[in-house]
Amino acid sequence: VRDDKGEVVYTFDKDYISNNNEIPAEGHWRFYFFNHPDVYSNKWTAETPYLYTVNVLVSSTRDNASVVVSDRVGVRTTEVKEGQLRINNVGVHFKPAAYIHPPLDAPVPTKDSLREFIRNVKQHSVNTLLVYGLPANNDLYSLADEYGLYIVQYMYPMQPPDSKKESYDDLWLRQRLSMIYQIRNHPSVVAWATDGNLSISKEHASALKDSLLVLDSDRPFL
């Protein structure tokens, strides 16, 4: 983990091999640095969008291959306490604007156009985006991480053109779970939400909430 000056502030090594170093161990791994003072001393907020660069090296001596994945991440906590959404245990006054992703069959906004949009809302003292729809890419969220904007991601249902109700509910749930996987590591996303008027079945709405407890138990569902 490197800070904004490129200095290494934390290193974690793990050997994911078993069965006489032949078969890589399976599983999902999540890393938390809350107890490491060099990392936790700079928390991410909309006012202080501090990002670390995390480089992950996965290598195999058996296959003589290696892959390096690099990403920028922020450290912050989010919770609902006494009816208030709090960031890093501090109550926040949210000044929101709405953003609607274009339909998936429409042209994808360019990163430059999204950057201009975020700069404009920041200049108007907006610190929160209420985002609707399914993202075609992650540029909006990456720029919100960089410039400092809170995002409340709404998962309201898109009306199907022609389909049976049951099959549509299944598609709706799969799309939302895919979106959670796609954007859950962005510190700018501080909460998931619905409009309170879901047109899907109670079973699928319950399945969504249960899945959130497994996939993203650290972020509140409003």
Side-chain angles (χ1 to χ4, degrees), residues 115-132:
R115 188 186 303 274
E116 182 179 0
F117 165 74
I118 287 181
R119 286 176 174 173
N120 285 337
V121 296
K122 289 284 289 186
Q123 290 173 358
H124 286 81
S125 300
V126 170
N127 69 351
T128 306
L129 291 181
L130 308 180
V131 180
Y132 299 83

Side-chain angles (χ1 to χ4, degrees), residues 58-112:
V58 180
S59 60
S60 170
T61 55
R62 180 188 62 181
D63 298 327
N64 192 27
S66 62
V67 176
V68 177
V69 178
S70 181
D71 202 357
R72 302 186 73 191
V73 301
V75 177
R76 62 112 185 90
T77 61
T78 309
E79 64 177 342
V80 176
K81 189 175 183 180
E82 298 178 353
Q84 184 183 38
L85 185 60
R86 302 171 69 89
I87 309 296
N88 299 320
N89 202 31
V90 176
V92 177
H93 181 61
F94 295 98
K95 299 178 180 179
Y99 179 87
I100 302 177
H101 286 295
L104 296 180
D105 57 353
V108 177
T110 66
K111 191 169 186 177
D112 289 339

Side-chain angles (χ1 to χ4, degrees), residues 155 172-173 176-177 180 204-212:
M155 295 182 281
W172 184 91
L173 180 59
R176 268 64 195 173
L177 296 183
I180 293 168
H204 283 80
S206 177
L208 173 63
K209 293 182 180 180
D210 292 343
S211 299
L212 281 169

Side-chain angles (χ1 to χ4, degrees), residues 128-215:
T128 306
L129 291 181
L130 308 180
V131 180
Y132 299 83
L134 297 173
N137 57 40
N138 287 344
D139 287 342
L140 177 73
Y141 305 91
S142 297
L143 292 170
D145 294 343
E146 178 182 349
Y147 284 91
L149 277 174
Y150 299 121
I151 288 181
V152 177
Q153 178 67 50
Y154 277 77
M155 295 182 281
Y156 77 112
M158 307 287 285
Q159 294 297 329
D162 291 301
S163 62
K164 294 182 179 180
K165 185 69 166 61
E166 183 178 355
S167 61
Y168 168 64
D169 283 358
D170 290 337
L171 175 62
W172 184 91
L173 180 59
R174 289 197 300 269
Q175 288 175 331
R176 268 64 195 173
L177 296 183
S178 176
M179 178 176 64
I180 293 168
Y181 273 115
Q182 183 178 346
I183 66 176
R184 65 179 178 177
N185 290 327
H186 289 278
S188 55
V189 181
V190 295
W192 311 106
T194 68
D195 57 7
N197 188 27
L198 292 178
S199 62
I200 63 170
S201 66
K202 293 182 179 179
E203 291 78 9
H204 283 80
S206 177
L208 173 63
K209 293 182 180 180
D210 292 343
S211 299
L212 281 169
L213 292 176
V214 176
L215 299 177

